[in-house]
Amino acid sequence: MGLKYIKSKQKKLEKKWRLEEELRLKEEEARIAKMEAEAREREERAYQKRRLLEKQENERLRLKRVEEKKVIAEKKWVNQRDTLVTQVKERIRINNALEEVRVIVQNRDPSLQALDWDDWLLSDPLNQRLAELDLEIAMALFKRDNLLAKRRHGTRGKKAASKPFVLTFAGSSATDYVSTIFNPDDYDGTGTGLNHGFTISYWVKPDQIGGFLKALGRRSETDGRWEFGIKSADLLHVGVGASVKDDNTHNDGVETGHGMTVGNWYHWVVTYGGDDGAGISGDRIVRIWINGKEIYKDGAASGTGNENGMGTANWVEGDTNTVNDSSNLYFGARADFNEDNGNPYNQGWACSLSEVAIYKEEKDEDGTFANEVYNAGFGYDHRDNSNLVGYWRLNEGSGTTATDLSGNGNHGTLTTDGTALPTWTPISSY
C-alpha cells in the first residue's frame, strides 16, 4: 500500500511537473513571441523613420536642385538680359555715331586748299570729330578735299560758301522749336558754366513784334536764366543768371528802343563779363549790340565810355539748377522750368534764325567783334575763332537735325508740340 501510494504520488508529481513545464514553455514562447513582436515593431518604426528621413532628404535634395536650377536660370536670364541691353546700347551708340557721321558729311564745308593730314584736322573741328567717329570716312574726305583743291588749281580760302537756308519758326501758334542738348551750366561736360563769361551771336528776322518773345534760351530755375528776345515793341528781354535786362531806352543814339520791325534781319551780340565770385573775378557787365550798335540801359549817356552797357548780372558760381528738360537750350522759344504741363516750351517767337554761335568768353567790350560779324553778313564763319563752344548755322535745308559745328556734338532736333515743324527757308543774304 505504501509502494502503490508512492507510485501514484510520483505520477501526480510528474504530471504536475509536466504541466508546469508546458506552462513554462508556453510562457517562454509567449515571452519570446512578444519580444520578437516588439523587435519587429521597433524595426518597423525604425524602418518607417528611415523612410521618412530618406523622403525628407530626397525632398530636400529635390528642392535644392530646383532652387539651383532656378538660380542658374535666373543667372542665365540676367546674363542674357545684360547681353541684350549691352547689344542694344551698342547698337544705339553705333546708330548715333552713324547719324552724327551722316550729319557731318552732309553739312561740313570742304577745304579749298591742299593740306596735309594734321593741318586738315586742325582746319575744322568737324574733321577732328569725324576722325574720332570713323577714321576711314575721315581719310576718304581728306583725300577728296585735296583732290578737289588740286582741281581748283590752288584756289585759296578756308571754306566754301554757306548753303542759302535759314530756319523759320511759326511761334506759339504751331509750338515749333529746336531742342538741343546744350546746357549753359555745363556746356562741355566738365561742370564749367557760361557764368565764367560768354558771348552769343545770332541773326534774327521777326515775323511778329510783341510781348515776351524769345529767339532762343532757357530758364531752368529762378537763378538759371539764359534767354534772349524782346519784351515789347521797344524793350529787350535778356536773362542772365538771376538778372533780367529789359530797361533799354536807346540804341547808341540811333534808334528808339531795340528798333526792330517785322520782315527785316537783325544781328545780335550779347556778352557777359563773368560773375565776380571766387575763381571767376569777372565784372558781371552785360552788353548788347544790334546791327553793330550798342544798346544801353535806361539813363545811360551814350558815347561817354562809362555806360557799362545794360548793367550787371549775378550768376553765382555754385548755384546749381535742377537738371531736367528745361536745362538745355531751345531755338525759336525758351525752355522754362516753371511750365507745369510736362512741356517746357515757352514764349515762342514767329521769326527766322541763322548763325547761332556761342563762345566761352567775353569777346567784345567796344563793339569790335559785333561789327566784324555784322559787316561780314552772310559769309562770316565762326569756326575761324577760338573758344567756340556751340555753333549752329541752321542752314541744312532739309531734315530734322540742326548740326552743332563747334565739334562738341550738341546737335539740335527740329520739334513740334503743335501742328508743324520749323521750316527751312532759302535766302541769298541778310
Side-chain angles (χ1 to χ4, degrees):
M1 207 152 139
L3 180 59
K4 188 176 179 179
Y5 173 80
I6 292 170
K7 287 181 178 181
S8 175
K9 189 73 171 179
Q10 181 67 34
K11 285 181 181 180
K12 289 180 179 178
L13 289 172
E14 288 177 353
K15 184 178 180 179
K16 179 182 178 182
W17 290 342
R18 187 172 61 252
L19 292 174
E20 289 177 349
E21 181 63 18
E22 288 176 356
L23 180 60
R24 187 189 66 78
L25 290 174
K26 286 181 180 180
E27 289 177 349
E28 182 65 18
E29 288 176 356
R31 186 183 67 80
I32 293 172
K34 182 179 179 182
M35 291 177 60
E36 290 176 347
E38 290 176 348
R40 286 193 299 271
E41 186 178 351
R42 286 194 300 271
E43 288 180 359
E44 180 65 21
R45 287 198 300 268
Y47 172 74
Q48 293 299 332
K49 185 176 181 180
R50 288 195 303 272
R51 286 289 305 276
L52 180 60
L53 291 174
E54 288 176 358
K55 288 182 179 179
Q56 291 175 342
E57 180 64 12
N58 291 336
E59 181 65 12
R60 186 187 68 80
L61 293 175
R62 186 187 71 80
L63 293 176
K64 182 179 179 181
R65 288 193 296 272
V66 170
E67 187 65 25
E68 288 175 347
K69 289 181 179 179
K70 182 179 178 181
V71 171
I72 292 172
E74 288 179 351
K75 287 183 178 179
K76 184 177 180 180
W77 180 85
V78 169
N79 290 336
Q80 290 175 341
R81 182 200 63 188
D82 292 344
T83 299
L84 181 60
V85 170
T86 300
Q87 291 173 345
V88 170
K89 288 182 178 179
E90 179 64 14
R91 175 56 58 187
I92 292 173
R93 186 193 67 79
I94 292 173
N95 288 342
N96 288 342
L98 289 174
E99 174 63 17
E100 188 171 355
V101 167
R102 184 194 68 77
V103 170
I104 291 174
V105 171
Q106 177 181 344
N107 293 287
R108 64 176 292 278
D109 294 326
S111 171
L112 299 181
Q113 291 179 297
L115 303 170
D116 61 27
W117 173 251
D118 290 338
D119 289 340
W120 185 81
L121 287 176
L122 294 174
S123 68
D124 192 334
L126 287 181
N127 294 343
Q128 300 174 35
R129 180 58 178 162
L130 185 60
E132 295 173 359
L133 294 170
D134 195 314
L135 183 60
E136 185 175 348
I137 292 179
M139 291 291 293
L141 288 180
F142 164 68
K143 294 177 181 178
R144 188 196 70 175
D145 282 3
N146 278 345
L147 179 61
L148 291 175
K150 290 178 181 178
R151 289 177 179 176
R152 294 187 189 100
H153 303 291
T155 300
R156 298 184 63 82
K158 286 189 176 181
K159 297 176 174 68
S162 300
K163 299 180 182 67
F165 286 95
V166 296
L167 195 55
T168 299
F169 304 87
S172 297
S173 63
T175 321
D176 57 340
Y177 58 100
V178 172
S179 61
T180 78
I181 56 174
F182 184 91
N183 185 346
D185 295 323
D186 186 13
Y187 58 80
D188 60 358
T190 65
T192 304
L194 293 178
N195 62 323
H196 286 243
F198 71 80
T199 297
I200 182 168
S201 166
Y202 62 91
W203 288 84
V204 59
K205 184 185 77 170
D207 290 323
Q208 66 176 138
I209 297 292
F212 294 102
L213 303 172
K214 293 298 185 297
L216 65 156
R218 74 95 199 260
R219 181 189 179 189
S220 60
E221 288 187 32
T222 302
D223 295 334
R225 296 177 181 272
W226 202 71
E227 52 187 328
F228 308 91
I230 60 175
K231 182 178 181 179
S232 67
D234 296 317
L235 298 178
L236 303 171
H237 198 265
V238 171
V240 177
S243 304
V244 173
K245 300 302 175 185
D246 60 0
D247 59 347
N248 59 289
T249 56
H250 62 280
N251 182 345
D252 199 20
V254 178
E255 302 283 354
T256 299
H258 54 64
M260 294 196 299
T261 57
V262 169
N264 295 307
W265 281 99
Y266 298 91
H267 178 248
W268 283 49
V269 168
V270 180
T271 66
Y272 177 57
D275 197 78
D276 60 356
I280 301 178
S281 300
D283 60 16
R284 299 193 298 119
I285 294 176
V286 178
R287 299 182 184 277
I288 303 172
W289 289 264
I290 296 180
N291 288 354
K293 299 295 184 179
E294 188 168 4
I295 302 290
Y296 297 111
K297 65 182 179 180
D298 187 12
S302 63
T304 66
N306 298 313
E307 301 87 355
N308 289 332
M310 289 292 293
T312 59
N314 293 315
W315 197 355
V316 179
E317 180 79 358
D319 278 355
T320 57
N321 294 296
T322 304
V323 178
N324 56 21
D325 290 340
S326 68
S327 301
N328 298 329
L329 177 65
Y330 275 18
F331 299 148
R334 73 173 183 178
D336 188 357
F337 176 83
N338 294 317
E339 291 296 308
D340 59 1
N341 58 2
N343 173 15
Y345 178 93
N346 184 249
Q347 297 185 5
W349 192 359
C351 66
S352 295
L353 281 178
S354 180
E355 295 286 336
V356 179
I358 302 170
Y359 296 86
K360 62 178 181 180
E361 65 174 350
E362 181 187 32
K363 297 192 76 69
D364 213 336
E365 289 187 348
D366 60 4
T368 300
F369 174 78
N371 280 275
E372 175 186 325
V373 181
Y374 170 65
N375 291 328
F378 198 67
Y380 195 87
D381 193 333
H382 289 270
R383 287 173 290 183
D384 294 328
N385 300 330
S386 61
N387 294 317
L388 184 68
V389 295
Y391 185 25
W392 301 265
R393 305 198 81 169
L394 304 179
N395 65 352
E396 283 78 359
S398 63
T400 58
T401 299
T403 308
D404 175 13
L405 299 175
S406 71
N408 291 323
N410 291 314
H411 307 306
T413 301
L414 275 64
T415 308
T416 181
D417 297 319
T419 58
L421 294 171
T423 57
W424 301 107
T425 304
I427 64 168
S428 57
S429 63
Y430 296 124

